[in-house]
Each structure stands twice: as structure tokens, then as C-alpha cells.
Amino acid sequence: MCIAILVSQSEPKNKDGPLVLVGLMGAGKSTIGRRLAARLNIGFVDADDEIELAAGLSIAEIFERYGEAHFRDGERRVIARLMEEGRQVIATGGGAFIDPDTRSAILANAIAIWLDADIATLAERVARRNHRPLLVGKDPATVLRDLADIRNPFYAQAHIHISSTPTPHVRTVERVVDELESRKLI
């Protein structure tokens, strides 16, 4: 198994800002984020957990009751608040970086790291849990392929792009750390 690393040409404006993980559902933002935070001895927060806490509802319930636009508005505000809390690892939901205002704020105030994986790997990972509103009643591979077609050009704007095949999470974390160190971001 191998891990390739691709690096965006843009440099982060805030080199001391939070590390914000972006990418499709199932890319490992939460799992790798927790391990990355532990490795760097900084805090970790999952934006989706914070949204649920603030709303008193699950993500699925927010989507069902109020729709995606309402969810994205809350998501934008929560991520902005989290970025104000200083250096930490923030895992975002798969659609967060697609929102132009959220993306602009992340690119200006944080170090955006795109965790990428092939569709088969993503589909296998998301099939383990049944909590993703965009997948309800649909084939995960088809949905993920369609989402990748739309979202990958946005994710490509992240400062760092880590592309991986199935491998132990610790190896992906080390690749992220190596890239951050080589760019003098940690």
C-alpha cells in the first residue's frame, strides 16, 4: 500500500492558525484528525459534533427539519467560531469547504488540508455507519462519485492535499506531519 502526497501551490495566510481537515465523507477527517491532534499535542474538535451540540439535533434531523441551506448556515458560523479558538485540528463535514464563505474563511484563517481517498475506499468506509443524510436510500459509490466530481475542484484549493489508499491511519498522520514540518507550518 502506498500514500502519495500532492501539495497545493498556495501558501496559507495564517501559518499559526488551526489545521482544518476537508474532504469527502469517509476520507478520515475525524479519525485522522484525532490522531493528528494527539501527535501534535493540540486540541481536536469535530465541527459536526459542535453543530449538533449547538442545535440540540443530529445532522440528519437538521437536514430533515430545516434543509441543507439552513444546515450550511449553521455550519459556517460554527466553523468560524472554532477557527477563532486558535491552533487546533478541526474536522469539517464533507460539504463545508464547498460553501464559498466557509472556504474563504478557512483559506484566510487556517491551514486547509484535503484528505482524499479513492471512491471504493470511501464507499467501504461510509457503509460502516448509517448516519449520513446524503446517502439515505442511495448507492454510496454512486453518490460519492457524483460528489467527487462536484467537490474535488473546491477541495483542490486547500493548501495541502494528502492522497491515500487504505493504510493504517498513523501513516497518513505521519505524512501530514511531514508535510507541515517541511513547509515550516508546525
Side-chain angles (χ1 to χ4, degrees):
M1 293 181 211
C2 67
I3 298 176
I5 186 164
L6 305 171
V7 182
S8 166
Q9 295 303 310
S10 68
E11 285 296 318
K13 294 175 184 166
N14 182 0
K15 295 183 179 203
D16 297 318
L19 308 173
V20 178
L21 304 180
V22 302
L24 287 172
M25 64 180 91
K29 298 179 300 288
S30 296
T31 303
I32 291 168
R34 281 184 191 89
R35 291 175 186 227
L36 177 61
R39 168 72 169 72
L40 298 175
N41 198 30
I42 60 176
F44 169 80
V45 64
D46 187 307
D48 283 352
D49 292 345
E50 292 294 311
I51 292 164
E52 289 180 341
L53 186 63
L57 299 168
S58 71
I59 302 293
E61 290 170 325
I62 298 169
F63 266 74
E64 183 180 319
R65 289 186 190 181
Y66 303 107
E68 186 173 359
H70 179 83
F71 170 77
R72 296 293 173 210
D73 181 54
E75 179 180 58
R76 183 181 319 98
R77 288 180 279 130
V78 166
I79 291 172
R81 175 180 54 81
L82 294 173
M83 287 192 301
E84 291 175 357
E85 295 175 5
R87 179 54 74 105
Q88 64 181 329
V89 176
I90 302 170
T92 64
F97 203 65
I98 308 314
D99 179 87
D101 294 332
T102 302
R103 183 175 58 257
S104 177
I106 291 170
L107 291 172
N109 300 299
I111 299 165
I113 302 168
W114 175 20
L115 296 180
D116 192 10
D118 63 77
I119 299 301
T121 300
L122 295 171
E124 188 272 324
R125 289 176 181 169
V126 300
R128 296 179 195 160
R129 296 173 62 195
N130 189 21
H131 71 286
R132 304 189 190 264
L134 295 178
L135 296 179
V136 175
K138 299 174 184 163
D139 173 57
T142 301
V143 172
L144 288 161
R145 194 172 298 106
D146 292 345
L147 286 173
D149 288 345
I150 295 165
R151 293 178 176 182
N152 284 357
F154 295 104
Y155 297 146
Q157 296 175 42
H159 304 111
I160 295 171
H161 176 188
I162 304 294
S163 179
S164 67
T165 56
T167 186
H169 293 305
V170 69
R171 291 183 66 196
T172 303
V173 169
E174 288 306 317
R175 288 292 194 158
V176 174
V177 170
D178 289 348
E179 184 57 31
L180 291 168
E181 285 176 342
S182 75
R183 294 176 71 177
K184 297 179 177 35
L185 298 172
I186 56 172

